[in-house]
Amino acid sequence: MSDFLDILTHGRRLKAAVKELSVSELEEVQKKLEKVISDRREEEAELQKLEAEKQRKIAELKKAMADAGIGVDELVEGTPVTVKPKRKRAPKPAKYAIIDKNGERITWTGQGRMPNALKDALERGDKIEKYLIK
């Protein structure tokens, strides 16, 4: 919770925070707070009204479906819900190759972390084009 909300919701902290305000300033704050509260009540009432309307429409649709003898499964039967499988992309081909100290060939696509053997070769002054796979 923010410091502001901590102060606002705790009686003693609120009293300490507003002790330097005059009564007229406190009354002005009260009016603003009452306005915020009334606005919030109106918003909540509107949301409740919209939700009630939605539930009424759902009930109407359920009744109409029951009267027609239609089930929910019949509505979605023609349009099966399928999830497309994610296709894995093909791995990128190696772009660089180097033989390490153990005689093992190490390849690198040019993406991600550079292999240590290639990094060491570049630090020694070699050009990366030397290790390019043709």
Side-chain angles (χ1 to χ4, degrees), residues 40-131:
R40 182 70 57 89
R41 282 188 179 135
E42 288 173 10
E43 289 172 9
E44 286 183 10
E46 182 66 26
L47 287 174
Q48 287 176 351
K49 192 166 91 172
L50 290 173
E51 183 62 27
E53 179 65 20
K54 180 180 172 183
Q55 293 302 321
R56 187 188 62 75
K57 286 181 180 179
I58 289 173
E60 284 178 13
L61 289 172
K62 283 182 179 179
K63 183 179 182 318
M65 286 175 56
D67 291 345
I70 300 172
V72 176
D73 54 337
E74 292 175 310
L75 289 177
V76 294
E77 182 180 295
T79 56
V81 179
T82 58
V83 177
K84 291 183 180 179
K86 291 186 179 182
R87 292 186 293 169
K88 291 188 176 186
R89 64 174 179 83
K92 292 205 174 256
K95 191 172 180 181
Y96 303 97
I98 188 170
I99 306 296
D100 71 353
K101 296 175 187 174
N102 300 330
E104 185 179 343
R105 182 174 189 251
I106 298 176
T107 59
W108 181 50
T109 63
Q111 294 182 340
R113 288 181 48 183
M114 183 182 291
N116 289 335
L118 188 56
K119 193 184 304 183
D120 293 340
L122 294 178
E123 287 175 359
R124 287 192 307 265
D126 288 351
K127 301 260 187 236
I128 196 159
E129 290 81 21
K130 177 180 175 182
Y131 302 102

